[in-house]
Amino acid sequence: MLRSTLISASAIAVLSASACAQETPTTEAQTTTEASIVDASQVQTRDEAKLFAESEFMQADLNADGKIDKSEFLAYASVHTPINDPALTPTDEMADAGEVAEAPNAEITADQAFAEISKGDEAISETEMVETRIAQFDEADADKDEKLNESERQQFASLTKPPATDAL
């Protein structure tokens, strides 16, 4: 029952986002920038990390009330959790070159991720989402040059991937 509710809510969100995207006129520069941040493994700068967070927030805020409650977060995580994502898997060439960043210490649950991002309250604000993604960008930026190379982008993607939901 919970699974079908989450899937239904997610489908509505995807359809709503598609409709909004078609209705909102954008410039070519906006389209290029937004298209490049749909996938966390494509984020290269702090500004792109912020845009990525804002995009995630808009997708997850199913009822558009300006906050992501736990059920919305779980629905977003259930739809966006990558399965065997090659972008998150280091290549042999990267390993040989010493460019493979360490994976996060342990896989966290969706409930733990929600609590962490929301800072323990009942909802995630857009500011909290942006702050979290910027902190994850900083963590992934191993050489602190304010730009992510290939292995750092993979680390950022790994840090930002939605955790698997326990309810499914």
Side-chain angles (χ1 to χ4, degrees):
M1 170 102 178
L2 179 59
R3 180 184 176 136
S4 61
T5 302
L6 290 174
I7 291 172
S8 297
S10 299
I12 291 169
V14 170
L15 292 174
S16 297
S18 297
C20 290
Q22 291 174 358
E23 295 171 8
T24 306
T26 57
T27 66
E28 185 176 328
Q30 287 174 320
T31 303
T32 302
T33 301
E34 290 170 3
S36 67
I37 60 159
V38 173
D39 180 0
S41 67
Q42 300 304 309
V43 170
Q44 294 183 36
T45 66
R46 287 173 65 95
D47 288 340
E48 289 176 351
K50 181 181 182 221
L51 291 172
F52 175 71
E54 291 168 349
S55 173
E56 275 188 306
F57 185 86
M58 287 176 34
Q59 291 175 45
D61 185 13
L62 299 176
N63 62 3
D65 66 351
K67 63 185 181 213
I68 301 169
D69 64 32
K70 192 171 192 174
S71 65
E72 289 172 321
F73 184 80
L74 294 175
Y76 177 81
S78 71
V79 171
H80 290 87
T81 300
I83 299 172
N84 298 325
D85 186 347
L88 300 179
T89 306
T91 63
D92 290 339
E93 294 82 21
M94 291 172 60
D96 292 342
E99 295 179 355
V100 178
E102 284 187 35
N105 290 338
E107 194 73 24
I108 64 170
T109 67
D111 288 336
Q112 291 168 325
F114 179 81
E116 184 178 309
I117 297 170
S118 69
K119 297 183 173 75
D121 61 20
E122 298 297 314
I124 297 171
S125 69
E126 186 171 0
T127 300
E128 289 170 330
M129 181 67 84
V130 170
E131 288 172 352
T132 298
R133 296 304 182 233
I134 294 296
Q136 290 166 327
F137 175 91
D138 291 341
E139 182 178 341
D141 186 16
D143 59 10
K144 305 301 179 203
D145 66 352
E146 301 276 324
K147 187 169 183 176
L148 302 182
N149 63 32
E150 182 64 29
S151 64
E152 290 170 337
R153 285 196 305 271
Q154 287 183 352
Q155 176 69 7
F156 179 75
S158 177
L159 290 168
T160 63
K161 78 178 173 87
T165 58
D166 297 332
L168 300 178

